[in-house]
Amino acid sequence: MNRVILHCDLNNFYASVECLYNPQFRDYPLAVCGSQDLRHGIVLAKNYIAKKFGIKTGEAIWQAKQKCPNLVVVNPNYALYLRFSKEAREIYSRYSSLVESFGIDECWIDVSESTKLFGDGEKIANEIRELIKTELGVTASVGVSFNRIFAKLGSDLKKPDATTVITENNFKEMVWNLNVGELLYVGRSTRRKLNQVGIMTIGDLAGTPLSFIKRYLGKWGETLWNFANGMDYSEVIATDYQETIKGIGNSMTTARDLVNTDDVKLTFTVLAESVAERLRKHNLKGSTIQISIRDNELASIERQAKLPVPSYISGEISRKAMDIFNANWGWHKPIRSLGIRSTDLVTADTHTQLSFFEDYNKRPQLETLEFSIDAIRKRFGHYSVQRAILLKDSALNANPIEDNIIHPVSFFR
């Protein structure tokens, strides 16, 4: 059976939801931006009026306001966006159980079997767009194709509120004349490399000998060459599929630069609590702790070390993070952001070999205490129970689990 893959992209998603809930802003240039106080002050999304001024996602607020002085800036409401995203997926699920998210505002849908019930891919795409408009109040662009790559490309070709069909018969005419940078995962660096050898369009890439591309870009070049030639056979994963968790982590750009170990210890305490809470939620313990450090000039390092025994106790995670930090950082520059990640995960009930030289009698009580804190916070909020160290500097105290930026999902699994 020929595959029919849809890619649905909610148009200017954050900004569209904000304009829906704040109709007074609909006729003004609007941008959803991270908090300047927390140094997340970049444009996360903009409406079409702001786009006409040349405002781009990812640029700083001050840059956007230079282009458009009367720009309306609003803070993101992730809980609201997640609710809309969930409701959109419920609409997609009326047509197929094979729905795979690609970030909060995009999904692939495999409707190959569904065409027997609902008509061809274009008809289904148009129905989905109409349902999103009438039920959610926002718009979507939908790409219809025989693979995931071209479906994604199709949803980008016409915006807003449009359906684009790319078939095995017309993809050369529709795709090959496009700039090579339009292909998924051809970023600025890869595009420059391709341009340097005369590869300007997707068709140029498709027509270049594979042997040359592999020598020039390695294995990654072969992947992009396959994409350009329409040879993507990856499947859309079912909604109820849950990938094995390989690691749990949090990172945070702090409200001010960290200048001493007390600042770092406080921040690691915040991050370790969020990582430990999520480990306990998934009934997992981590055997290895990784930390990431980014200085105020945006240079980064990552380091890791093993725990004596797997753990989901926040105090053990933060202490190990500090040990790794002290062994690897010389304070040559202030720190802009920190991260903690727990890897080499095992289920919480896995038996482990204990050391004769450590006192593990208190660990059961510590674990019980952590679960009690989880229960209190679930009922009364994150800040209902706080460690005393976090009261030393309210600017560095945060809730990384809820006050988070939602990052895109990778195409590759």
Side-chain angles (χ1 to χ4, degrees), residues 369-381 384-385:
L369 177 61
E370 299 258 316
F371 279 107
S372 298
I373 293 173
D374 291 346
I376 294 171
R377 285 177 170 169
K378 184 177 181 180
R379 184 174 180 183
F380 298 106
S384 59
V385 178

Side-chain angles (χ1 to χ4, degrees), residues 76-88:
N77 184 342
Y78 294 116
L80 182 62
Y81 308 152
L82 285 168
R83 180 167 68 81
F84 269 74
S85 177
K86 180 181 178 183
E87 290 174 354

Side-chain angles (χ1 to χ4, degrees), residues 67-104:
K67 298 175 182 177
C68 179
N70 64 333
L71 179 69
V72 177
V73 175
V74 298
N75 292 326
N77 184 342
Y78 294 116
L80 182 62
Y81 308 152
L82 285 168
R83 180 167 68 81
F84 269 74
S85 177
K86 180 181 178 183
E87 290 174 354
R89 289 197 302 273
E90 289 174 354
I91 291 174
Y92 308 150
S93 297
R94 299 175 194 174
Y95 293 88
S96 175
S97 62
L98 301 177
V99 179
E100 179 179 352
S101 295
F102 188 58
I104 188 173

